[in-house]
């Protein structure tokens, strides 16, 4: 799908457990400027409902599972994240909604830039208006 893809990370597993390294510009296509994580989301909660204009991000579900609905003006896809060695890359102008967070789930996000509210498009009609120019 436009500006989205799954990224598989190499995990180093041995009898002591498993370690997954992620290096900016090597394992993911941007330098990491910000990290945040989402926890304690209730069972009927949906988050997101926005797109970014310039931000690149990789979402990794470190524990449990979460579904991500991805939309653009011409298509829609649902991805389930339930493996901490798999990330979902989401680039600019992709509408996202995160839901069905399992109990105890931890969603880690690696971002290409600092938090800037002006980079968000939080109204779906405004999103369609801006995004349509790209399709
Ligand atoms: C995204 C999805 C996957 C900050 O102050 N700093 C931050 O770095 C972030 C990400 C958020 N905030 C504040 C802004 C809001 O007052 O935290 C509050 C919750 O943010 P928001 O409603 O945007 O959260 P989500 O879960 O809807 O979206 C977040 C990211 O904002 C967004 O970039 O792609 O996770």
């Amino acid at each position: 799908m436009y500006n989205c893809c799954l990224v598989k990370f190499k995990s180093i597993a041995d009898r002591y457990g498993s370690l997954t390294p992620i290096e900016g510009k090597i394992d993911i296509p941007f330098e990491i400027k910000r990290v945040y994580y989402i926890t304690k989301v209730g069972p009927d909660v949906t988050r997101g409902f926005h797109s970014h204009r310039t931000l690149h991000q990789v979402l990794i579900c470190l524990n449990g599972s979460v579904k991500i609905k991805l939309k653009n003006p011409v298509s829609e896809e649902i991805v389930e994240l339930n493996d901490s060695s798999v990330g979902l890359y989401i680039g600019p102008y992709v509408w996202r909604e995160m839901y069905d967070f399992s109990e105890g789930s931890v969603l880690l996000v690696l971002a290409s830039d600092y938090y800037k509210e002006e980079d968000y498009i939080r109204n779906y009609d405004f999103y369609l208006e801006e995004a349509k120019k790209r399709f």
Side-chain angles (χ1 to χ4, degrees):
M1 192 176 166
Y2 172 80
N3 265 355
C4 298
C5 66
L6 289 171
V7 186
K8 175 78 182 158
F9 304 117
K10 259 188 229 148
S11 292
I12 302 150
D14 55 26
R15 61 196 168 104
Y16 303 106
S18 174
L19 184 154
T20 308
I22 301 172
E23 297 184 313
K25 283 182 125 178
I26 297 174
D27 301 296
I28 58 171
F30 55 83
E31 227 165 83
I32 301 161
K33 279 201 183 165
R34 179 167 51 109
V35 173
Y36 60 92
Y37 43 90
I38 297 172
T39 58
K40 300 176 189 158
V41 182
D44 299 320
V45 174
T46 302
R47 304 181 62 110
F49 297 104
H50 62 257
S51 157
H52 284 279
R53 292 188 173 90
T54 63
L55 192 69
H56 302 261
Q57 299 193 103
V58 171
L59 282 59
I60 305 162
C61 191
L62 292 184
N63 188 56
S65 62
V66 57
K67 291 194 182 105
I68 323 280
K69 187 185 278 185
L70 303 163
K71 289 199 225 179
N72 63 43
V74 295
S75 63
E76 181 173 322
E77 196 175 317
I78 293 169
V79 174
E80 178 164 2
L81 293 178
N82 54 17
D83 178 346
S84 60
S85 70
V86 175
L88 172 64
Y89 164 78
I90 309 179
Y93 287 100
V94 177
W95 187 264
R96 82 279 326 255
E97 297 168 17
M98 300 91 75
Y99 63 102
D100 269 3
F101 286 80
S102 67
E103 202 184 337
S105 59
V106 177
L107 181 63
L108 176 76
V109 183
L110 312 175
S112 64
D113 204 354
Y114 302 117
Y115 175 72
K116 290 175 185 159
E117 187 54 39
E118 64 273 21
D119 192 62
Y120 285 73
I121 310 174
R122 293 189 183 270
N123 175 298
Y124 192 63
D125 291 332
F126 293 163
Y127 162 72
L128 283 180
E129 211 176 290
E130 277 192 45
K132 267 183 192 159
K133 294 171 196 156
R134 303 173 164 258
F135 288 84

